C-alpha cells in the first residue's frame, strides 16, 4: 500500500491537478519571496554586501547571511590549489604505482594543513586522529564511544573558548571545529569496523590505510562521511574516468553559481534568521512556502559541498555514497534520513542502531535504539536547544511513521479499505493519513535550518492559525505527497528496467 501498484489507477486529470497545485504553490511562493527583496534589504539588521559587478547582479545586493555557505566559499578560495594537487598526485600514482595511493592522500592533506593552520590546531587534529588508532588496538567498543564522548565534549568546550578563537581567527576556528566533528565519525568508523573484522581482513586496517582514510583531503572538512568499509573497498587499479570527474566538478560549480545568482534576488537565508521577514508575507498560508525554500536552499548547499567530495572520491576509486536526494521528492521522513545524507545514515545505522537491536527485536527495543541514535545526533551536532527540539521531533516523526506503516500493512486494514474504497480510494486514504505525518516532519527541519524562533513561528502558523489554513495546508501537502509517490514509482520502474 505504500507505493502505487499501478500509476494508471489515478486518472490523468487527477495527476494534472496534483502537479498543478504543487507547481503553482512553489511558483507563487517563490514570487512572493522575490517581492519582499527590497523590504528585507531595507529592514535587515545588517547591510548586505554589493552584488556581483556583472549586470544585472550589480544592481542588487547579495544575501550573505548563511555562515556555512560563506565559510565554504572562503575555504575553496584558500584551498583550491590543494584540490588540484590532490587530483594531479592521484592521477600520477594511479597511473604508475596504485599501491602508494594512501601515501598520496596523506601527503597532500598534511601539506595543506601544515601550511594553513596554527600549531595549536595541528596538535588538536593530530591528537584526535592518533587516539582513534590507539584505541583501535584494543577490542573494546565502549572505549571507542568513551573516547568519542571526550572529543565531542572537547569540541563543545572549544566552541566557547574565546582565547583560542582569538588566536587562530574565526575562519580557522570554523575549519578546525568542523574537521574535528567529521574526524570523530571517521575515527569511530575505522575503530569499530576493525574490531568487527575477521582475522584474515585485518591487513586492510594498517596504519597507512587508516591515515589515508582519516586524512582524505576532499572529504576532510565538508564531507560527506564515507565509511571505512567503503574506503577499504576502493578499486586502486581501476582506470580513472576524467570526463566523469570533470562532469561531477562542473555539476557542483553550476549549482553553486545558481545558488549565488538566486541570493541576489531571494533573501531566503536572511529570512531563516529573522522571523520578522517571514511575517511580512501576505498570509500564514504563504509563509509555509518560506519554510519550503529554506529546505531547498539547504539542500542545494549540500549538493554543492557533498558533490565536490563525492566527485573526487569516485575518481579515486572509492564507492562513495550517493548525492543528496531533492527534498521535493521525499515524503516520508525515514527516506529523508536514508537518502539526504547516505553516509551519515550508514554510520548511524551500522554502528549505533544495529548494535542495539535486530530485525527480530521487540518494538520497545527498536524505539529505544532509535532514541539513543538521535541522542548521539543531538550531541554530535552541538548541544543547542534548537538541535534538541529537532532531534526529538525527528524521533517522534519516525516513531509515528513506523506505527502508521505497521497499521496500514495489517491484513484487516487492507481488506477493509479494498472492500469499501477500492484500490484507488485506498491509495488516496493512505496519502491523506500519511500527510498528517508529512506536515510536522517537514516543519521540524526548519528548527535545524533556521533555529528555534523561526521553527516555533512556522509550527504555530501550521497548527494554530485556524481550520481553514490547516485544511489548505493539508490539501497542498496531500498533492505534494501524491506527486512524490508518482515520481518515486516512476524512478523505481526505471531502476527495475535497468536491472533486467
Amino acid at each position: 500500500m505504500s507505493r502505487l501498484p499501478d500509476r494508471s489507477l489515478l486518472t490523468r486529470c487527477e495527476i494534472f491537478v496534483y502537479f498543478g497545485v504543487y507547481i503553482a504553490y512553489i511558483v507563487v511562493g517563490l514570487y512572493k519571496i522575490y517581492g519582499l527583496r527590497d523590504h528585507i534589504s531595507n529592514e535587515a539588521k545588517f547591510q548586505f554586501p554589493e552584488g556581483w559587478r556583472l549586470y544585472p547582479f550589480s544592481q542588487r545586493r547579495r544575501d550573505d547571511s548563511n555562515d556555512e555557505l560563506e565559510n565554504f566559499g572562503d575555504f575553496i578560495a584558500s584551498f583550491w590549489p590543494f584540490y588540484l594537487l590532490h587530483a594531479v598526485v592521484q592521477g600520477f600514482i594511479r597511473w604508475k604505482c596504485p599501491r602508494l595511493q594512501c601515501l598520496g592522500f596523506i601527503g597532500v592533506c598534511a601539506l595543506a594543513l601544515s601550511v594553513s593552520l596554527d600549531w595549536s590546531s595541528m596538535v588538536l587534529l593530530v591528537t584526535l586522529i592518533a587516539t582513534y588508532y590507539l584505541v583501535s588496538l584494543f577490542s573494546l567498543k565502549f572505549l571507542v564511544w568513551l573516547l568519542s564522548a571526550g572529543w565531542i565534549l572537547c569540541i563543545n568546550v572549544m566552541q566557547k573558548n574565546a582565547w583560542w578563537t582569538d588566536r587562530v581567527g574565526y575562519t580557522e576556528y570554523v575549519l578546525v571545529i568542523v574537521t574535528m566533528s567529521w574526524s570523530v565519525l571517521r575515527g569511530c568508523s575505522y575503530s569499530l569496523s576493525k574490531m568487527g573484522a575477521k582475522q584474515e581482513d585485518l591487513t586492510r586496517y594498517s596504519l597507512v590505510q587508516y591515515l589515508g582514510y582519516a586524512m582524505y583531503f576532499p572529504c576532510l572538512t565538508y564531507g560527506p562521511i564515507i565509511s571505512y568499509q567503503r574506503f577499504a573497498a576502493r578499486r586502486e587499479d581501476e582506470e580513472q574516468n576524467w570526463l566523469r570527474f570533470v562532469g561531477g566538478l562542473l555539476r557542483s560549480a553550476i549549482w553553486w553559481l545558481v545558488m549565488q545568482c538566486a541570493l541576489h534576488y531571494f533573501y531566503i537565508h536572511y529570512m531563516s534568521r529573522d522571523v520578522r521577514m517571514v511575517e511580512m508575507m501576505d498570509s500564514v498560508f504563504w509563509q509555509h512556502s518560506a519554510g519550503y525554500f529554506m529546505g531547498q536552499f539547504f539542500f542545494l548547499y549540500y549538493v554543492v559541498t557533498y558533490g565536490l567530495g563525492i566527485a573526487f572520491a569516485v575518481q579515486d576509486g572509492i564507492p562513495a555514497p550517493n548525492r543528496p536526494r531533492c527534498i521535493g521528492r521525499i515524503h516520508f521522513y525515514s527516506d529523508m534520513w536514508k537518502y539526504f545524507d547516505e553516509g551519515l545514515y550508514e554510520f548511524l545505522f551500522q554502528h549505533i542502531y544495529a548494535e542495539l537491536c535486530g530485525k527480530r527485536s521487540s518494538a520497545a527495543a527498536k524505539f529505544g535504539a532509535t532514541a539513543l541514535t538521535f541522542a548521539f545526533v543531538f550531541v554530535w551536532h552541538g548541544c543547542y536547544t534548537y538541535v534538541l527540539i529537532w532531534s526529538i521531533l525527528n524521533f517522534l516523526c519516525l516513531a509515528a511513521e513506523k506505527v502508521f506503516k505497521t497499521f496500514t500493512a495489517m491484513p484487516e486494514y487492507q481488506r477493509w479499505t479494498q472492500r469499501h474504497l477500492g484500490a484507488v480510494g485506498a491509495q488516496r486514504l493512505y496519502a491523506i493519513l500519511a500527510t498528517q505525518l508529512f506536515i510536522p516532519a517537514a516543519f521540524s527541519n526548519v528548527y535545524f535550518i533556521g533555529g528555534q524562533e523561526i521553527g516555533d513561528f512556522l509550527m504555530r502558523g501550521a497548527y494554530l492559525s485556524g481550520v481553514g489554513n490547516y485544511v489548505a495546508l493539508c490539501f497542498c501537502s496531500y498533492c505534494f505527497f501524491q506527486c512524490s509517490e508518482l515520481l518515486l514509482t516512476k524512478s523505481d520502474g526505471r531502476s527495475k528496467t535497468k536491472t533486467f
Side-chain angles (χ1 to χ4, degrees):
M1 291 299 297
S2 63
R3 299 286 179 258
L4 286 173
D6 185 357
R7 290 173 61 238
S8 64
L9 288 174
L10 301 178
T11 65
R12 290 186 177 181
C13 181
E14 186 175 353
I15 294 173
F16 178 81
V17 170
Y18 293 151
F19 279 95
V21 172
Y22 192 173
I23 295 171
Y25 187 81
I26 290 174
V27 171
V28 175
L30 189 62
Y31 177 76
K32 289 183 177 294
I33 293 172
Y34 171 77
L36 291 174
R37 63 196 185 283
D38 291 330
H39 295 288
I40 295 174
S41 181
N42 294 331
E43 297 291 332
K45 296 177 181 178
F46 54 86
Q47 189 177 50
F48 297 150
E50 293 184 359
W52 291 343
R53 295 180 180 179
L54 181 68
Y55 182 85
F57 305 110
S58 58
Q59 309 299 310
R60 304 295 315 165
R61 291 188 176 275
R62 184 178 64 86
D63 182 358
D64 67 337
S65 52
N66 187 305
D67 291 338
E68 289 186 341
L69 181 60
E70 298 302 311
N71 291 332
F72 173 73
D74 294 339
F75 179 84
I76 295 299
S78 299
F79 286 90
W80 70 264
F82 299 103
Y83 280 97
L84 179 60
L85 179 63
H86 176 96
V88 172
V89 169
Q90 287 304 310
F92 180 79
I93 289 178
R94 296 281 296 280
W95 175 41
K96 288 295 186 182
C97 193
R99 58 191 177 85
L100 299 179
Q101 188 178 38
C102 280
L103 292 177
F105 295 159
I106 298 168
V108 172
C109 184
L111 178 63
L113 297 181
S114 61
V115 301
S116 306
L117 301 184
D118 182 76
W119 68 267
S120 59
S121 301
M122 288 294 296
V123 168
L124 283 168
L125 291 172
V126 169
T127 303
L128 189 155
I129 293 172
T131 52
Y132 275 103
Y133 180 76
L134 292 176
V135 81
S136 72
L137 300 177
F138 304 92
S139 298
L140 299 171
K141 291 185 178 181
F142 86 91
L143 288 179
V144 177
W145 293 114
L146 186 63
L147 176 64
S148 299
W151 278 116
I152 291 174
L153 177 62
C154 176
I155 292 170
N156 280 276
V157 170
M158 287 169 57
Q159 289 177 321
K160 299 174 176 62
N161 190 316
W163 173 84
W164 180 71
T165 305
D166 292 339
R167 175 185 175 83
V168 301
Y170 179 75
T171 301
E172 183 171 327
Y173 154 80
V174 171
L175 188 155
V176 174
I177 292 295
V178 174
T179 302
M180 289 181 67
S181 298
W182 284 117
S183 295
V184 167
L185 298 189
R186 285 188 286 264
C188 283
S189 180
Y190 170 80
S191 301
L192 296 172
S193 298
K194 181 180 179 181
M195 292 176 185
K198 298 179 180 178
Q199 187 67 34
E200 58 269 23
D201 294 331
L202 290 180
T203 55
R204 303 165 67 186
Y205 294 84
S206 67
L207 176 59
V208 172
Q209 293 284 326
Y210 167 64
L211 291 178
Y213 171 65
M215 299 174 68
Y216 185 69
F217 179 73
C219 298
L220 184 71
T221 304
Y222 284 95
I225 174 66
I226 297 176
S227 67
Y228 188 79
Q229 291 94 326
R230 285 180 177 270
F231 180 82
R234 68 189 182 281
R235 300 172 294 276
E236 296 178 345
D237 297 328
E238 184 182 63
E239 184 177 354
Q240 291 183 302
N241 188 332
W242 289 97
L243 186 62
R244 179 185 61 189
F245 175 59
V246 173
L249 296 182
L250 284 176
R251 177 184 296 187
S252 288
I254 290 171
W255 279 118
W256 181 84
L257 286 172
V258 168
M259 186 160 47
Q260 291 295 328
C261 291
L263 290 175
H264 286 76
Y265 299 95
F266 306 100
Y267 297 154
I268 194 68
H269 285 155
Y270 187 80
M271 292 178 75
S272 69
R273 298 182 54 160
D274 192 341
V275 72
R276 297 177 303 130
M277 305 300 112
V278 182
E279 289 177 329
M280 288 183 182
M281 300 192 76
D282 293 348
S283 65
V284 174
F285 179 71
W286 292 112
Q287 289 170 0
H288 305 322
S289 66
Y292 174 85
F293 283 104
M294 289 176 195
Q296 284 292 7
F297 275 75
F298 180 80
F299 157 72
L300 284 179
Y301 168 77
Y302 282 99
V303 167
V304 173
T305 56
Y306 281 11
L308 181 64
I310 289 171
F312 274 92
V314 172
Q315 178 71 353
D316 293 331
I318 302 171
N322 291 318
R323 294 176 179 84
R325 177 180 290 183
C326 175
I327 64 170
R329 295 175 52 211
I330 295 176
H331 51 292
F332 278 117
Y333 207 71
S334 57
D335 289 344
M336 179 70 79
W337 277 98
K338 290 178 183 177
Y339 303 119
F340 188 85
D341 191 339
E342 286 192 6
L344 181 59
Y345 171 78
E346 287 179 1
F347 175 88
L348 296 172
F349 182 84
Q350 181 178 355
H351 297 303
I352 301 180
Y353 182 84
E355 290 287 334
L356 298 172
C357 68
K359 290 184 178 180
R360 298 183 179 180
S361 299
S362 65
K366 291 180 178 179
F367 283 131
T370 303
L372 288 176
T373 301
F374 280 108
F376 176 82
V377 169
F378 162 62
V379 174
W380 182 72
H381 276 98
C383 299
Y384 301 103
T385 303
Y386 73 90
V387 178
L388 176 62
I389 296 172
W390 171 70
S391 300
I392 292 174
L393 287 175
N394 272 230
F395 167 72
L396 293 176
C397 288
L398 285 176
E401 182 185 319
K402 181 64 177 178
V403 172
F404 168 75
K405 288 185 174 180
T406 301
F407 171 72
T408 54
M410 294 173 61
E412 296 82 358
Y413 170 84
Q414 295 190 1
R415 282 196 298 268
W416 186 90
T417 54
Q418 290 287 337
R419 184 184 308 116
H420 293 87
L421 303 175
V424 179
Q427 196 281 330
R428 290 172 184 152
L429 176 62
Y430 182 90
I432 291 171
L433 296 175
T435 296
Q436 306 311 308
L437 300 176
F438 172 77
I439 292 173
F443 282 111
S444 70
N445 285 325
V446 179
Y447 282 95
F448 185 73
I449 298 169
Q452 184 177 354
E453 185 178 17
I454 190 69
D456 288 344
F457 177 79
L458 291 179
M459 195 69 84
R460 286 195 302 268
Y463 290 102
L464 301 177
S465 297
V467 176
N469 171 74
Y470 188 70
V471 170
L473 175 62
C474 285
F475 175 69
C476 289
S477 299
Y478 169 79
C479 293
F480 294 174
F481 185 94
Q482 292 284 39
C483 291
S484 296
E485 279 281 271
L486 288 162
L487 291 172
L488 184 61
T489 303
K490 186 175 181 180
S491 176
D492 289 346
R494 286 179 177 176
S495 299
K496 291 178 180 178
T497 302
K498 289 179 181 179
T499 300
F500 293 133

